[in-house]
């Protein structure tokens, strides 16, 4: 049987589990080794090592009242819980708890789509609702609204939003936390709070106006451990009349500077509505020795790089994005975009796909770049692994946020390329996604394995990337559970004042320390000494 | 001399003031009756009555360190403070404290524009920076960025954002809290926290990416009393190539339903970028007996209303808004808008003004609707008072948030019209501003006076409006300091669970209760019993 967490007697642990069983029924308490193993993180960088994070049991409530009862029981015994929604937070810790021995509160049965308003373009869902679930609901009922899916589509809206994940469609939807409107939260006391207009019991605007009145608390429930969110509203995108996917290429390395400046400006003006990828086609799919040398050098010149690209007859940078809307507006926006980018010598414009909505099932199936049209899939699964990297069992994401400046993208590639090379590894391709309109997020898939020796190297690589990039002003926006204390250290202004504020909030809201101890480096008082 | 707050001995009060003087110097501590009277709320609905909120003194620090020292001193004596930025929060309490006897911390000397990036389209400012200040800075330095001003322009960016005010330009800028990116806060402990990327000391993205890592705390510092914000970043709008202001009118009362549905859809798709006003031209500037009868009836029929409007040969509803961007994109957006609204019988479209930027000083002067072009002014000052209302000395705002449905706008007019009429008053004209893209905010200016008898009626009217509209699901988004406990009562789900959470946070962050006791109904523990 899995072990209870440190400091909880076996007697209390067994008593708590009996109480949980009483709350959810025998079928929904999981305590056998086989069942509990399912909550392991398949991508864990600590796989099989003593430090690997493992649960002691799992409990799956079916209602808000059951969540309340579970929290109150845990509080009585001081037993740590670890709530998950669909449990698919792969590359960031999956469904495994941050603190070993926690009981996973699996919210998969809270999977009701409580409301969808086509008129208001909103929904209200429980944490177990996946992108697939909501997409199916909209499509089955012919509701002309789009979702903004994470990759892959088996993730859940609530969990992804709370971890501040992102997507690919319109400006107002890609930042999944920003796209939420209204929450219901079970606090560690067991009390239920509704935020925003949800605190007015008559309001029809819970999913329309975020703030309500008084301090807006929603943000403290993201990337944290202050409560269990049981309902969340989201803004959805109205299906447009049409969409046009385009690509723009520029020939030289330094062309990324005017390219990104113009794209940023066009995104801020809503001329380009979708997420915009800026990647270097010459970086992909090659174990070319010269490429490896250039990338590992930590500062090869533009001339060297341009020579490399020219010899292969490929443009240095490629950007892809999508217009959504009325056909005549799209045509004007695309024309204006070409005007703005036309000054870059050698720029090339290409229309890669054009759509009129709604799509038939066959058309949906045939869309290559599904996420940009709000279609969830598993297509992107694993696609970020470089094809010439050695086989790995999984990966964890290293995603620094940089200013939307071409110089920054170049500098980041130099810095990370050298870090990989110094460790004898092939650098991950550098691509900037202009994710939120005002920052570029730069994904790197750091491979994880099922053996300790390889994982040790991975952890060294990951930690070096985190520290070096933070020193350059490029800290990351989200981090695997095993590295969350390290991640928060990179936000250390005034000797960690922000982190101390987080722990002040923790002590006030969760004095018994029952919800997700250690998540994003926030420990309850009783564990703080041993963990800090 | 003004009196110290209840519970503070005169000896402690004098000692605290001496300490404040030591911190800021003799010139910046204000304690004479004449000086302290300047911090009264000129629009107070309690003018001259014993319950009127008045300060005991004021202190004006010049640096973050001085703010820290003031907070620590106040904490030592348990002396309540009331921070203000430019002190212009008229209609919501002005510069007067929520709790009488508080010492106003006047941040007007913290008026530095710390950073403006034309490339990133961002700024970082201190609390004393007004809309006029920033506008002047941008114009003097020929920086092609726009501000989104409150009306009037003497307000400050930080205070307005923290009170969650709104403006008139592009989608990303009108919600002044949403448009902020990054804060520095002096906590009641005196400790300085930076939020978001500001917590990484090397990051160049403090004004570009809101969240950083871990719980996002910024929201709890809005409409609250958890700290003193000393720096705040904002997203600014790039000056567009051109702008086109238009108006759309529809003839019949019920036409507002398809009108608002289409406007809402077009705003969500960013086809219409600006704030959109939906008002009824027949409601304004008339003491016509039939109009008074219809408005006070609480439910006159569409037929009656349409007869009234037709007899006066005026359209029932008028909407105005502005396109910003490249000329060819604007043309396509306007054409598409006409396509979408063309189905409403009798709809009329008019282009009311057209601009190419930058404007000369003379052109700026001549712009009638300045706020929609990001130009601060005092033009709108008092303009919301109905011209046929009896003279008043000021007003307080009653601004319910409703779903963007024409039916709701009609229903709100019926409900509020009857409330005014039942009290023998002329109803305030009903207009919906599609303020945030997904809600309509409906301003009503409730007049205040310099005599107790009239103010008593005003308070009765205001309280009736607040309670009745909340019962209809239309609570307000912001409220005058004297009514904040009432306002929060309208957000009472689960017996006031959200309010209890606010007070839990208060006790944790401000255990001595020094920052703005009572603001938005949040009292520190020591005052809770006597105030609840």
């Amino acid at each position: 049987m899995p072990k209870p967490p440190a400091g909880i007697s076996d007697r209390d642990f067994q008593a708590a589990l009996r109480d949980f069983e009483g709350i959810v029924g025998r079928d929904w308490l999981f305590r056998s080794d086989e069942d509990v193993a399912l909550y392991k993180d398949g991508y864990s960088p600590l796989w099989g090592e003593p430090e690997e994070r493992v649960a002691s049991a799992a409990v799956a409530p079916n209602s808000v009242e059951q969540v309340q009862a579970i929290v109150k029981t845990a509080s009585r015994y001081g037993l740590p819980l670890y709530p998950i929604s669909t449990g698919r937070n792969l590359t960031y810790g999956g469904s495994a708890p941050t603190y070993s021995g926690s009981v996973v509160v699996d919210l998969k049965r809270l999977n009701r789509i409580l409301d969808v308003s086509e008129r208001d373009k909103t929904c209200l869902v429980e944490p177990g609702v996946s992108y697939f679930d909501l997409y199916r609901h909209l499509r089955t009922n012919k509701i002309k609204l789009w979702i903004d899916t994470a990759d892959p589509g088996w993730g859940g809206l609530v969990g992804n939003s709370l971890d501040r994940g992102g997507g690919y469609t319109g400006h107002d939807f890609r930042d999944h936390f920003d796209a939420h409107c209204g929450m219901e939260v079970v606090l560690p006391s067991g009390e239920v709070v509704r935020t925003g207009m949800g605190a007015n019991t008559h309001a029809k605007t819970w999913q329309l106006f975020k703030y309500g009145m008084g301090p807006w608390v929603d943000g403290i429930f993201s990337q944290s451990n202050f409560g269990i969110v049981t309902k969340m509203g989201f803004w959805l995108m109205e299906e447009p009349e049409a969409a046009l996917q385009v690509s723009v290429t520029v020939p030289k390395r330094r062309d990324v500077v005017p390219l990104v400046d113009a794209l940023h400006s066009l995104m801020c003006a809503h001329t380009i509505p979708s997420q915009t990828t800026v990647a270097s086609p010459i970086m992909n799919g090659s174990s070319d020795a010269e490429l490896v040398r250039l990338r590992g050098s930590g500062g090869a010149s533009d001339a060297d790089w341009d020579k490399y690209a020219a010899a292969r007859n490929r443009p240095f940078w490629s950007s892809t994005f999508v217009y959504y809307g009325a056909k005549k507006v799209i045509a004007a926006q695309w024309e204006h975009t070409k005007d703005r980018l036309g000054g870059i010598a050698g720029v090339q414009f290409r229309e890669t796909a054009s759509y009129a909505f709604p799509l038939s099932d066959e058309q949906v199936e045939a869309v290559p770049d599904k996420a940009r049209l709000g279609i969830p899939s598993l297509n992107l699964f694993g696609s970020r692994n470089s094809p010439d990297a050695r086989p790995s069992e999984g990966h964890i994401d290293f995603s620094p946020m940089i200013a939307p400046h071409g110089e920054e993208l170049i500098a980041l590639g130099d810095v990370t390329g050298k870090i990989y090379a110094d460790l004898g590894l092939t650098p991950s391709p550098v691509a900037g996604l202009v994710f939120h309109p005002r920052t570029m997020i730069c994904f790197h898939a750091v491979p994880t394995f099922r053996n300790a020796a390889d994982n040790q190297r991975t952890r060294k690589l990951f930690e070096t990337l985190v520290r070096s990039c933070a020193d350059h002003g490029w800290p990351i926006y989200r981090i695997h559970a095993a590295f969350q204390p390290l991640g928060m250290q990179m936000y250390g202004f005034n000797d960690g004042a922000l982190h101390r504020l987080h722990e002040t909030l923790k002590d006030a809201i969760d004095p018994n320390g029952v919800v997700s101890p250690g998540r994003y480096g926030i420990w309850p008082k009783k564990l703080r000494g041993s963990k800090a």
Side-chain angles (χ1 to χ4, degrees), chain A residues 275-291:
Chain A
Q275 183 251 48
T276 304
T277 310
V278 178
S280 181
I282 63 161
M283 299 282 179
N284 274 322
S286 165
S287 48
D288 180 311
E290 173 66 358
L291 178 60

Side-chain angles (χ1 to χ4, degrees), chain A residues 141-460:
Chain A
N141 295 286
K142 301 200 189 311
I143 298 168
K144 291 188 192 303
L145 296 174
W146 280 13
I147 64 169
D148 187 284
T149 183
D151 51 338
W154 62 16
L157 282 85
V158 171
N160 193 275
S161 171
L162 292 175
D163 219 31
R164 300 206 295 253
Y168 299 85
T169 69
H171 168 283
D172 303 337
F173 312 101
R174 287 198 295 281
D175 172 346
H176 291 172
F177 184 75
D178 190 52
H180 101 274
C181 190
M183 285 184 179
E184 179 186 86
V185 189
V186 174
L187 297 177
S189 63
E191 180 149 273
V192 180
V193 169
R194 290 190 180 169
T195 69
M197 300 306 260
N200 176 286
T201 46
H202 306 287
K204 290 154 247 172
T205 43
W206 192 13
Q207 273 62 67
L208 289 169
F209 181 61
K210 292 182 177 184
Y211 306 130
M213 185 182 279
W216 186 47
V217 297
D218 292 35
I220 67 172
F221 297 105
S222 66
Q223 291 194 355
S224 72
N225 51 12
F226 300 152
I228 300 182
V229 175
T230 46
K231 291 181 180 62
M232 224 166 152
F234 292 93
W235 290 348
L236 301 176
M237 180 170 156
E238 199 171 350
E239 180 159 84
E241 181 187 314
L244 175 68
Q245 181 154 352
V246 301
S247 92
V248 177
T249 58
V250 292
K252 298 199 167 187
R253 190 186 193 214
R254 204 50 57 173
D255 292 338
V256 74
V257 176
L259 175 69
V260 170
D261 279 346
L263 292 175
H264 182 219
S265 166
L266 290 164
M267 291 181 86
C268 285
H270 298 284
T271 305
I272 296 177
S274 83
Q275 183 251 48
T276 304
T277 310
V278 178
S280 181
I282 63 161
M283 299 282 179
N284 274 322
S286 165
S287 48
D288 180 311
E290 173 66 358
L291 178 60
V292 169
R293 192 192 67 77
L294 286 168
R295 295 182 64 196
S297 71
S301 69
D302 287 346
D304 282 352
W305 274 111
D306 287 340
K307 206 171 96 186
Y308 178 84
R312 278 143 194 89
N313 202 25
R314 301 192 74 175
F316 206 100
W317 299 100
S318 165
S319 176
T320 58
F321 47 92
V322 183
Y323 300 93
Y324 311 108
K327 276 190 181 147
K328 67 181 87 171
V329 176
I330 289 177
Q333 288 171 326
W334 179 216
E335 207 180 311
H336 177 60
T337 302
K338 289 190 268 192
D339 291 348
R340 288 288 296 275
L341 292 166
I344 304 173
V347 64
Q348 297 207 326
F349 302 103
R350 211 154 56 88
E351 300 183 5
T352 52
S354 166
Y355 304 94
F357 301 99
L359 299 183
S360 69
D361 290 347
E362 294 69 33
Q363 287 174 310
V364 166
E365 205 51 52
V367 172
D369 202 353
K370 289 191 166 49
R372 287 182 198 261
L373 302 188
I375 305 165
S377 75
L378 298 177
N379 291 2
L380 292 159
F381 209 68
S383 66
R384 291 208 214 103
N385 282 307
S386 166
D388 50 316
R390 48 171 298 198
S392 71
E393 279 83 19
H395 64 274
I396 56 177
D397 264 346
F398 170 71
S399 306
M401 305 299 284
I402 67 172
H405 303 165
E407 303 92 321
E408 289 281 279
L409 198 57
I410 286 176
L412 177 71
D414 284 345
V415 167
T416 60
K418 186 156 176 9
I419 290 170
Y420 278 83
D422 286 352
L423 291 167
L425 299 166
T426 305
S428 175
V430 175
L433 306 176
V434 187
F435 177 73
H436 306 300
R438 292 183 179 246
T439 14
M440 296 185 108
I441 181 169
C442 305
F443 283 107
H444 300 67
V446 175
T448 58
F449 303 87
R450 295 261 162 122
N451 74 79
D454 281 330
N455 275 338
Q456 202 169 13
R457 195 157 58 168
T458 274
R459 297 200 298 268
K460 178 154 187 208

Side-chain angles (χ1 to χ4, degrees), chain A residues 84-90 107-108 110-111 113 123 125-135 147-166 176-177 180 229 232 234 376-378 478:
Chain A
I84 61 169
S85 52
T86 61
R88 303 296 189 175
N89 200 21
L90 283 169
L107 302 172
K108 65 185 169 193
L110 289 174
N111 64 349
I113 296 168
C123 70
V125 299
E126 291 187 326
V129 174
S130 72
Y131 293 104
F132 281 127
D133 293 337
L134 183 58
Y135 179 77
I147 64 169
D148 187 284
T149 183
D151 51 338
W154 62 16
L157 282 85
V158 171
N160 193 275
S161 171
L162 292 175
D163 219 31
R164 300 206 295 253
H176 291 172
F177 184 75
H180 101 274
V229 175
M232 224 166 152
F234 292 93
S377 75
L378 298 177
R478 187 179 177 193

Side-chain angles (χ1 to χ4, degrees), chain A residues 1-18:
Chain A
M1 304 286 276
K3 283 187 298 183
I8 305 287
S9 72
D10 193 61
R11 201 174 125 153
D12 277 1
F13 181 60
Q14 299 305 333
L17 294 190
R18 274 194 303 276

Side-chain angles (χ1 to χ4, degrees), chain A residues 3-47:
Chain A
K3 283 187 298 183
I8 305 287
S9 72
D10 193 61
R11 201 174 125 153
D12 277 1
F13 181 60
Q14 299 305 333
L17 294 190
R18 274 194 303 276
D19 289 354
F20 289 157
E21 196 172 270
I23 294 163
V24 298
R26 148 170 294 200
D27 286 351
W28 300 105
L29 177 74
F30 307 106
R31 51 190 306 186
S32 73
D33 286 341
E34 297 71 27
D35 284 344
V36 175
L38 294 174
Y39 292 95
K40 289 177 80 160
D41 172 18
Y43 287 8
S44 175
L46 295 159
W47 186 268

